[in-house]
Amino acid sequence: MARIHLKSPGEIAKMQKAGEITAQILMEIGAEVQVGRTTKEIDDIARDIFKKYKVANAFYQYRGFPGQLCISVNEEVVHGSPAFGPSNIRTINDGDVVSLDVGAIVDGWYGDNAMTVPVGQVDKETLRLLAATEESLFRAISLVRPGALLADVCAAVEGFVRPRGFTVVREFVGHGIGRELHEEPQIPNYRPHYKLPRLQKGMALAIEPMVNAGTAKVHILKDGWTVVTADGKASAHFEHTVIVTDNEPLIVTARPRIALPEQLGIEPL
C-alpha cells in the first residue's frame, strides 16, 4: 500500500479552511437547483461561485473532466456533466434528485464534498434512499477514531443501507485527501476482501456513500465519465472530508443535512 500522509496540526488547520469553503460552495450551488433549470445553467452558476470565492476548482480539467462540478440526475450515480455535450444537458424536473459533487483547492489543500438534492415533490421511496444514504455517511464517520479499523468504517455504510432495501456501488470508492484530491487509502462502502489499515491521528478521509435504489450494478456512458445505474433506478451520493483526531472525528466540510432521518423511523446520530 502506498504511504498515507498524516497531517500535522498546522496542515489540519489549512484543511479546515479548504473544507469550510468547499462546503459553502456546495451549499450555494445546491440552492440554485430548481425546477426548469438545466444542468448547463447549474454548471455556469458554479463557475461564477468559484470565481467569487477566488479559489481553484479541484475538478475542472482533472484528468480531462470538462465540468465545474459533477452533476448527476436520478439514475446517474456520479461524474455527470453537461459539459460533455448537448446530449448530456438535462432539464431538472419536479420529483428529480440531483447529486452535486464539489471540490476546491485552497492554499494548496483540497476539500471534497457531495450531496443529493431533492427537487419539488419527490416520491417517498426516493426520499428514503436519500435519508438512508446520508445517515450511512454519519454512521461511518461516527467510527472514525485512532486505532479503529478502516474496514469497520467501510462496512458501516452497507451495513446500514442494505437492511433497508438499498445497495452500494462497488466500483467507485472514497479516498484519502490532502495536497492531492485522491490519496491513499481507498475507502469502499462495504467491507473489502483486502486488508485496510487502522486509523491514525492526522489521517484525512473523503468518505462518500454511493447508494442505489435497485441493483448495485452500474455502467459508464459513451462520454467515458457518467456512471449510471444498470436498471435506471435512482441513486444518491453524500460525502464529507473528515480528519482523524485524538477524540471526535473532525468534519471539515460540515453543513446542514439534506435528508431527514425521521423518514426512516430512526433517530439521527
Side-chain angles (χ1 to χ4, degrees), residues 45-57:
I45 290 168
R47 182 184 60 243
D48 293 339
I49 292 173
F50 270 97
K51 286 181 179 178
K52 181 181 75 171
Y53 281 93
K54 298 179 180 179
V55 297
N57 188 325

Side-chain angles (χ1 to χ4, degrees), residues 56-125:
N57 188 325
F59 293 175
Y60 181 65
Q61 292 302 316
Y62 178 76
R63 297 179 180 175
F65 185 75
Q68 300 296 315
L69 74 161
C70 299
I71 311 176
S72 307
V73 182
N74 295 338
E75 78 285 355
E76 296 174 344
V77 181
V78 285
H79 303 160
S81 173
F84 295 124
S87 64
N88 292 81
I89 297 174
R90 297 182 65 161
T91 299
I92 299 169
N93 297 310
D94 184 64
D96 285 348
V97 290
V98 182
S99 294
L100 306 170
D101 192 355
V102 169
I105 312 168
V106 182
D107 298 329
W109 292 90
Y110 283 76
D112 190 4
N113 65 167
M115 64 183 183
T116 301
V117 179
V119 183
Q121 298 298 312
V122 177
D123 67 87
K124 290 183 179 180
E125 187 61 16

Side-chain angles (χ1 to χ4, degrees), residues 48-255:
D48 293 339
I49 292 173
F50 270 97
K51 286 181 179 178
K52 181 181 75 171
Y53 281 93
K54 298 179 180 179
V55 297
N57 188 325
F59 293 175
Y60 181 65
Q61 292 302 316
Y62 178 76
R63 297 179 180 175
F65 185 75
Q68 300 296 315
L69 74 161
C70 299
I71 311 176
S72 307
V73 182
N74 295 338
E75 78 285 355
E76 296 174 344
V77 181
V78 285
H79 303 160
S81 173
F84 295 124
S87 64
N88 292 81
I89 297 174
R90 297 182 65 161
T91 299
I92 299 169
N93 297 310
D94 184 64
D96 285 348
V97 290
V98 182
S99 294
L100 306 170
D101 192 355
V102 169
I105 312 168
V106 182
D107 298 329
W109 292 90
Y110 283 76
D112 190 4
N113 65 167
M115 64 183 183
T116 301
V117 179
V119 183
Q121 298 298 312
V122 177
D123 67 87
K124 290 183 179 180
E125 187 61 16
T126 303
L127 289 176
R128 283 187 67 250
L129 170 67
L130 268 60
T133 306
E134 190 171 36
E135 181 66 15
S136 76
L137 171 59
F138 285 98
R139 300 273 167 154
I141 291 172
S142 72
L143 302 178
V144 172
R145 299 286 192 284
L149 290 171
L150 179 56
D152 289 343
V153 175
C154 299
V157 174
E158 185 171 45
F160 185 79
V161 302
R162 188 173 181 180
R164 290 165 175 81
F166 305 120
T167 61
V168 299
V169 174
R170 303 180 83 83
E171 291 87 346
F172 298 88
V173 300
H175 50 90
I177 188 170
R179 284 195 175 275
E180 301 291 336
L181 178 59
H182 295 119
E183 297 182 355
E184 290 294 331
Q186 291 194 350
I187 309 171
N189 294 304
Y190 56 90
R191 188 182 299 278
H193 64 272
Y194 52 86
K195 186 176 181 180
L196 289 175
R198 287 188 180 273
L199 299 181
Q200 300 179 63
K201 179 183 176 182
M203 289 176 69
L205 313 171
I207 303 173
E208 50 179 320
M210 289 158 271
V211 179
N212 296 344
T215 180
K217 294 180 180 180
V218 298
H219 64 262
I220 300 174
L221 298 185
K222 291 181 179 179
D223 58 40
W225 282 93
T226 309
V227 180
V228 298
T229 58
D231 58 7
K233 292 185 178 180
S235 185
H237 179 204
F238 286 87
E239 177 184 23
H240 274 304
T241 297
V242 183
I243 310 290
V244 184
T245 74
D246 281 328
N247 298 298
E248 296 289 322
L250 174 62
I251 304 174
V252 299
T253 51
R255 61 177 187 272

Side-chain angles (χ1 to χ4, degrees), residues 22-34:
T22 307
Q24 186 61 36
I25 291 172
L26 176 61
M27 288 189 292
E28 291 189 22
I29 295 171
E32 300 293 340
V33 176
Q34 301 169 14

